[in-house]
């Protein structure tokens, strides 16, 4: 039997090349080696207010982007988190075994809560819901970007705590980071992670940006005061551009050195921009094709749910049983 993989992306904001290189591309690469569940985590998105009509549209947009990026729905299940009720149910069970101190240490909570006027409890509970997403499917491998490593450690801690309190119930998952592109930085500020929720047109390249806009954003990217590429002394802006090129092209370190050493920044940016335009073009064409048939998308999401629901329900039943909660048909008393 193939090992199971689970990952998710929030249907909030516009997907950018950081999401693609950090997560989606890796999903596509590994999907034939594992049994994969890819989740549109709308319950996570509402941890900060989302206008309902926009959220509804973003969920469909994200599903279409998964497909356009190359997720094969015959092989992998694409599911909307709120459509599978067991996510929310398991999250509550796990909340009850998670010490508040663990959640207080989460850096994403600290950064995101600083930006809010009122901080909802959901933002605090966010990582427990994420643990539920993963543990629900007994996923062994979770392909994400580097910013999620801390949440994955917490997921392992929660799984182990549950297992030690109630008996072996959950698989303890491993984090799977891409070799190149695990942390793409903002093009306007290479000291901050490229993020969907950041403001400003120079920050990110969106997966659906047109070629003129992609070129403009990359040509304006922050670099440093060196005249050209020097791998020894380069600053974070130049390193980020090289990482973007390497992740899209698949070039080796030695190829990168040979191609880019000494190149002036204007030329470097042109090379990066052309590579990004070339790689996103087929994805965008596929996106347009998929969104032309809304019925197809509905079918993919329904099939995804139907495939995963029995797995999710079975896990919740076992967890409830282990905790001593009421289940109409007890499974075991081991
Ligand atoms: P937000 O900033 O609104 O939280 P986000 O851009 O971080 O959004 P998520 O939906 O939280 O996007 O993340 C989806 C996936 O993309 C995760 O696996 C995450 O690790 C990855 N990811 C997000 N940003 C980057 C980045 N800058 N570089 C590499 N991977 C990233
Ligand atoms: N928190 C993640 C999104 C996410 C996720 C998951 C990722 C929610 N549930 C389960 C991997 C596995 C983020 O990208 N911000």
């Amino acid at each position: 039997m193939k090992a199971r993989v689970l990952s998710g992306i929030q249907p909030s904001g516009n997907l950018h090349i950081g999401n693609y290189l950090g997560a989606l591309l890796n999903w596509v690469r590994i999907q034939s080696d594992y049994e994969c569940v890819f989740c549109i985590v709308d319950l996570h998105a509402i941890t900060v207010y989302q206008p309902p009509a926009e959220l509804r549209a973003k969920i469909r947009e994200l599903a279409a982007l998964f497909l356009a990026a190359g997720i094969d729905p015959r092989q992998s299940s694409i599911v909307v988190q709120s459509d599978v009720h067991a996510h929310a149910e398991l999250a509550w069970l796990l909340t009850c075994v998670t010490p508040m101190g663990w959640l207080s240490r989460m850096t994403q909570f600290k950064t995101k809560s600083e930006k809010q006027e009122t901080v909802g409890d959901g933002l605090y509970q966010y990582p427990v819901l994420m643990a539920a997403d993963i543990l629900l499917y007994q996923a062994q491998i979770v392909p994400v970007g580097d910013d999620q490593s801390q949440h994955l450690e917490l997921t392992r801690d929660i799984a182990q705590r549950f297992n030690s309190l109630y008996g072996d119930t959950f698989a303890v998952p491993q984090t799977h980071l891409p070799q190149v592109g695990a942390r793409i930085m903002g093009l306007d500020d290479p000291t901050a992670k490229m993020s969907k929720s950041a403001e400003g047109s120079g920050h990110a390249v969106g997966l659906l940006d047109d070629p003129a806009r992609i070129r403009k954003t990359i040509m304006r990217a922050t670099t440093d005061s060196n005249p050209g590429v020097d791998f020894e002394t380069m600053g974070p802006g130049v390193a980020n551009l090289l990482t973007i090129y390497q992740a899209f092209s698949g070039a080796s370190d030695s190829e990168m050195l040979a191609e880019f050493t000494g190149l002036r920044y204007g030329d470097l940016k042109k090379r990066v921009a052309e590579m990004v335009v070339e790689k996103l073009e087929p994805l965008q064409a596929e996106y347009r094709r998929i969104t032309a048939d809304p019925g197809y998308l509905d079918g993919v999401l329904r099939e995804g749910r139907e495939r995963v629901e029995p797995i999710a329900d079975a896990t919740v039943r076992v967890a409830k049983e282990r905790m001593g909660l009421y289940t109409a048909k007890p499974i075991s008393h081991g």
Side-chain angles (χ1 to χ4, degrees):
M1 213 173 83
K2 286 180 179 174
R4 204 169 284 139
V5 160
L6 179 126
S7 197
I9 298 184
Q10 303 182 67
S12 54
N14 293 324
L15 237 65
H16 50 71
I17 54 174
N19 301 126
Y20 181 73
L21 300 173
L24 262 177
L25 182 59
N26 225 3
W27 300 1
V28 174
R29 286 201 177 121
I30 65 175
Q31 68 175 334
S32 54
D33 298 328
Y34 301 98
E35 185 191 332
C36 298
V37 182
F38 297 121
C39 210
I40 295 153
V41 290
D42 53 351
L43 296 174
H44 277 106
I46 57 167
T47 55
V48 295
Y49 176 77
Q50 307 290 331
E54 272 175 37
L55 179 58
R56 212 168 283 129
K58 283 284 168 195
I59 291 168
R60 301 183 68 84
E61 180 185 305
L62 190 53
L65 279 170
F66 283 10
L67 293 166
I71 301 299
D72 176 357
R74 287 163 304 180
Q75 211 165 61
S76 306
S77 304
I78 299 179
V79 293
V80 180
Q81 185 187 31
S82 66
D83 200 25
V84 179
H85 300 197
H87 286 260
E89 192 173 1
L90 184 62
W92 175 252
L93 306 185
L94 298 180
T95 291
C96 297
V97 302
T98 306
M100 287 173 71
W102 290 5
L103 296 178
S104 308
R105 286 202 292 273
M106 293 297 111
T107 52
Q108 183 177 298
F109 171 72
K110 290 185 207 164
T111 344
K112 288 205 173 177
S113 56
E114 275 163 14
K115 295 186 198 148
Q116 304 300 316
E117 247 171 62
T118 48
V119 178
D121 185 29
L123 203 55
Y124 193 64
Q125 301 292 329
Y126 181 110
V128 184
L129 178 60
M130 177 165 162
D133 298 338
I134 298 164
L135 303 184
L136 198 52
Y137 300 103
Q138 308 288 357
Q140 283 116 305
I141 290 162
V142 184
V144 282
D146 171 66
D147 61 317
Q148 295 305 309
S149 297
Q150 195 188 29
H151 287 160
L152 259 300
E153 256 167 60
L154 181 85
T155 300
R156 283 192 285 278
D157 288 342
I158 294 175
Q160 276 156 353
R161 187 168 158 87
F162 190 104
N163 288 348
S164 72
L165 286 171
Y166 297 110
D168 222 8
T169 307
F170 295 116
V172 180
Q174 294 303 312
T175 311
H176 186 283
L177 299 178
Q179 276 174 349
V180 181
R183 190 173 185 81
I184 300 297
M185 309 308 280
L187 292 166
D188 56 346
D189 173 8
T191 62
K193 174 187 96 92
M194 186 177 283
S195 153
K196 286 197 240 115
S197 43
E199 311 271 318
S201 60
H203 175 74
V205 171
L207 293 187
L208 297 175
D209 285 357
D210 62 44
R213 181 159 178 180
I214 295 174
R215 290 189 181 103
K216 195 168 157 191
T217 314
I218 294 178
M219 293 309 290
R220 279 201 198 150
T222 303
T223 49
D224 53 46
S225 54
N226 286 351
V229 178
D230 176 347
F231 281 84
E232 298 292 312
T233 61
M234 66 187 168
V238 175
N240 192 39
L241 288 169
L242 290 166
T243 299
I244 292 170
Y245 185 93
Q246 187 173 19
F248 271 111
S249 67
S252 67
D253 289 350
S254 55
E255 285 165 342
M256 292 297 293
L257 266 168
E259 275 193 47
F260 289 103
T261 301
L263 197 67
R264 289 169 38 174
Y265 290 157
D267 294 329
L268 164 69
K269 288 174 172 178
K270 275 189 205 144
R271 295 281 310 274
V272 176
E274 290 321 308
M275 176 57 67
V276 176
V277 167
E278 182 195 316
K279 293 290 176 174
L280 291 186
E281 202 276 328
L283 183 151
Q284 296 181 353
E286 193 55 14
Y287 178 81
R288 287 190 290 274
R289 199 182 66 77
I290 290 160
T291 47
D293 180 2
Y296 172 66
L297 209 58
D298 288 325
V300 166
L301 296 175
R302 191 186 54 247
E303 265 175 42
R305 169 170 47 72
E306 285 171 358
R307 221 182 286 152
V308 306
E309 228 163 24
I311 309 167
D313 288 347
T315 308
V316 168
R317 237 163 80 77
V318 174
K320 283 176 72 177
E321 172 84 3
R322 295 265 155 85
M323 293 179 99
L325 294 165
Y326 178 73
T327 47
K329 278 194 224 142
I331 22 186
S332 74
H333 293 280

